[in-house]
Structure formats: structure tokens, C-alpha cells
Amino acid sequence: MNAAPHTPATVQPARRVAFDVVSAVSRDDAYANLLLPTLISRSALNTADAGLATELTYGTLRMRGYYDRVIALAANRPVTDIDPDILDVLRLGAHQLLATRVAPHAAVNESVVLARSVGSRSAVGFTNGVLRTLSRSTPEEWKERVLATTKTADDRLATEHAHPAWIVRAFRQALAAEGRGDEVEALLAADNVAPRVNLVALPGLAELPDDAERNRHSPFGFVLASGDPDTAIRHESGRLRVQDEGSQIAALALSRARPIVAGERWLDLCAGPGGKTALLGAEAALAGAILTANEVVPARAELVRRAVAPVPGNIEVTELDGTTVGEMQPETFDRILVDAPCTGLGALRRRPEARWRKTAKDVGELTKLQQSLLLSAFATLKPGGVLAYVTCSPHLAESRGIVLDSLRRLGDAAELLDTAAVVQGFVREPVDLGEQQTERAGTTVQLWPHRHGTDAMFIALITKV
Ligand SMILES: C[S@@+](CC[C@H](N)C(=O)[O-])C[C@H]1O[C@@H](n2cnc3c(N)ncnc32)[C@H](O)[C@@H]1O
């Protein structure tokens, strides 16, 4: 057997953690953002090792599709013919060799030790051989070779930026709808850069800290120039929260759609885990509105209760199926947020494995639920009230498609508001929204990671005539 000389005897703890997470994601559909912190703490990794484990895990999961194409070339066989555990070892090794500063001999040797702990003797030799082949060419040479095997322009983009081709097509269509189809590559690249931790200071409840670097658009959003976000959040007992800037803009689009009259009743129909509820609750409390939150999954409803604990106003949290609320409580609320369950294609930069888990089929199933939640919300909206339909997906079927279909079904009873004008009215800097498509004088808003530095949130404000 030709295992490398000087191979360490045991698997380094950071690499063990990274492998355990990557393989649990491949095998058991585990969520890396939940499992990784658990395993880091169980293995008592120091800060440097925790950083290494995080980088190896997230980098490998994010670029998995690309690494598989490289591995197939280096191994001279399809990755489906490779033992799943060994394939995960190779993916971690490929990430170290192609995208990190880990010394090539260390990347190969550590991978061989890992392979020995999970595979047969022949698998150890195979791992050694494939990674040595890989280490003999530069990352640029591998990229050239892999891209030479692609057949279409979209396949090339999908391969280079490690996105499934159906997602590339969906992104291109959504960008083309606003005359910006040529931005698709910038969007794919933005998805591969982990964003800094973004926070919100709940209005009326917390001040921006001294070392806050303010968000470009959200009046309450910031990142910390220095210091640890967790410490700042603990210090402010939840009045500072982690929240993407796009989510803040979506919640504020509803609360700022028109002046608030004291005593208004608001509903957050799909509230879990409660990020937007907390911001809406703070806005409601400032103006004397009464917020109810609803979330059908009990464990997530519990997270909403925790999220709103620091917010005044006794926010009630119910656990109803949102699709039934319209029938049960007709014409009850003045403002409603429908932050619908969606594919989450707008938040891929924060969920590295999500792109490989979703399929085009998920879109069809979700649109049925989205449509019925929107129609139920419209039924529980008072005449003259405002509803915000929001998704963290730019897929046209989940965003504009649902809105246009609902407007068609609701006829003269519903009107799309000028959502873009509402958003431009409260943001700190004007938002570049591309070409606006108007629908009976109304507009929608689509935010983008590459253009706005936010998740790709979609927002449509609808009123009941
Ligand atoms: C996109 S998430 C909401 C995120 C939340 N607004 C926030 O900012 O933290 C959608 C939520 O809708 C919930 N949901 C799914 N089906 C539902 C239904 N039929 N009725 C109410 N909530 C539902 C999901 O459990 C999930 O928590």
C-alpha cells in the first residue's frame, strides 16, 4: 500500500468534526448549522480548531457539486461509484487542496488518516491516489479541465459556482424579469461568500452600539465592527437580535406601508422562529397596535414566544394552521405578514448545503401552500387593511407568480400597492430595484445578495379594497 510517509496516527479533532457533519448531511439530511455547533462543543474544540472545522464543513458543503466534478476526473470514475464515506473524505480533501491554505501534504495525509478510520485498506490507497493526483495540478488547471467538460453556458455557470442548473435557470429568469439577466454570475458568486453576522436593534427598545457599522438600507440594521455578536445580544437580553437586513426591510414594509392608527390589530401568520415578529412587535408597541403571532409547528411557536419576550405588548402566539384562519376569523386584522414557507433559494449563502437538498419539485408543492396561505390571510384582512406577502426566495413561481395568481382570483377586491415606493420611503439609501413591472399601478420588491448585500427577499404589499 502506498499511504504517505509520516501519516499521523489519529484523526485531528477539527477534521473529525467536519467529516462527521459533512457525512451526516449526506447520509441523514442533517442540518449543518444545527449539528456543527453541537459537535464543536461536544469535542471541546479550541477557537482555532472550531474555526477550522467550520471552514472545512461549510466550504466543502457549499462547493460539493464542483468538487464532485473534480474528483470524478481525478479518480477517473463517476462519484456514484465511490463509497459514500470515502467520497466525503475526498470532498473534504479536495476543499483543502483547491480552496484553502492548508499545505498539500497535510491535506493528503490527514485525509488518508480519516479514510483509514472510516474505510477499508483499499479505500485508504484509493484516497491517497486520488488526492495525490489532485495535488499535482493547480486549482486553476482543475477548473479549466472541469469547465471543458460542460456542455451549455448554464451548465458552465452551474459547475463553476457550484449551484444546481435548475437554480441557475430560476435565478436568471427572476433577474431577467427586472432587466438584469446579466447579473446572474455575480449572484452565484455572492452565494458562495458567507455573510457577516447582521443584527437589528429593535426600534424603541435598543440603541445601536458604538461600534456598529450601519446597514446601507435598513434604519435599524448593523454589523459589529469588532466584538462578538453573541456577547452584545446577551448584554441587551434579546433587544439586539441577529437578523438579515432583507428580513428587516420586509417587516418594515408592512409596518411603514401607511401611518399606524392606535388600536390596529396585526397578525404575523407564519411567524416561526420569530425574527420578523420581534421587529413588528417593537413597531406595533411604539404606535399602540396589537400584534398576534401564529405558527403551526409547536416547537417553532415556542421560539416565537422566546423571541418576543423582550418586546412589550403581550404578543399572543397561536398555533393554528394558517390556511384555516381566514375562515375562522374573517375580516379581523388591519395588517398581516405572510412570510410564507418557501424553498429558501434567497438565503443560500447562509445555508451551504441547502442548494443540493432542494429540487425543482419542491417548488410545485410549496406554491400550493403559499397560495392558500395568502388567500386565507386575505380573508382575515379587514377592508382597507394591508397584507405583506414575503418569501426568502426569488423564484418567480413562489414570488410574483403567487401574487399575480392571487390578484387574478381576488379580482376587484384586491389591489397591489406600490411596494417599491413604500420601501424607498424608509430606507437609508435608495434601493436599486432594476426595471419595475407594474401591475394595475402596483409594484413588488425583489432584494438580492449581490446587489443589496441582503438575502434575496421578495415583498408584495396588497390591500383589500
Ligand atoms: C419563512 S418561515 C417564517 C420566518 C419568520 N417570519 C421569521 O422571520 O423568523 C415560514 C414559517 O411558516 C410555518 N408554516 C408552515 N406551514 C404553515 C401553516 N400552514 N400555517 C402557519 N404556519 C406555517 C413554518 O413552520 C415556518 O416556521
Side-chain angles (χ1 to χ4, degrees), residues 262-282:
E264 277 185 10
R265 291 192 64 188
W266 297 5
L267 172 66
D268 185 352
L269 187 67
C270 306
K276 296 187 192 70
T277 321
L279 180 48
L280 277 182

Side-chain angles (χ1 to χ4, degrees), residues 269-276 294-297 300 320-322 339-341 369 373:
L269 187 67
C270 306
K276 296 187 192 70
N294 178 70
E295 164 58 51
V296 73
V297 178
R300 290 175 73 81
L320 304 171
D321 175 353
D339 188 13
L369 178 58
L373 285 166

Side-chain angles (χ1 to χ4, degrees), residues 170-171 174 178 244-251 253-254 268 270 272 276 336-351 358 362-363 365-374 387-404 406 419 444-449 452 454-462:
F171 285 172
E178 55 186 77
D244 176 68
E245 188 183 0
S247 290
Q248 298 175 34
I249 292 170
L254 181 65
D268 185 352
C270 306
K276 296 187 192 70
I336 302 173
L337 174 63
V338 184
D339 188 13
C342 68
T343 52
L345 296 187
L348 296 184
R349 57 195 188 137
R350 287 191 291 114
R351 299 178 198 147
K358 301 285 174 200
D362 296 326
V363 178
E365 278 158 25
L366 282 161
T367 53
K368 287 190 203 104
L369 178 58
Q370 291 157 351
Q371 178 89 84
S372 98
L373 285 166
L374 200 164
L387 176 161
Y389 175 77
V390 170
T391 57
C392 65
S393 167
H395 195 298
L396 287 175
E398 299 183 87
S399 55
R400 269 182 80 76
I402 293 290
V403 171
L404 296 187
S406 304
T419 312
T444 58
V445 164
Q446 178 61 64
L447 301 172
W448 294 104
H452 307 112
T454 65
D455 286 351
M457 302 295 298
F458 170 83
I459 313 163
L461 294 170
I462 297 170

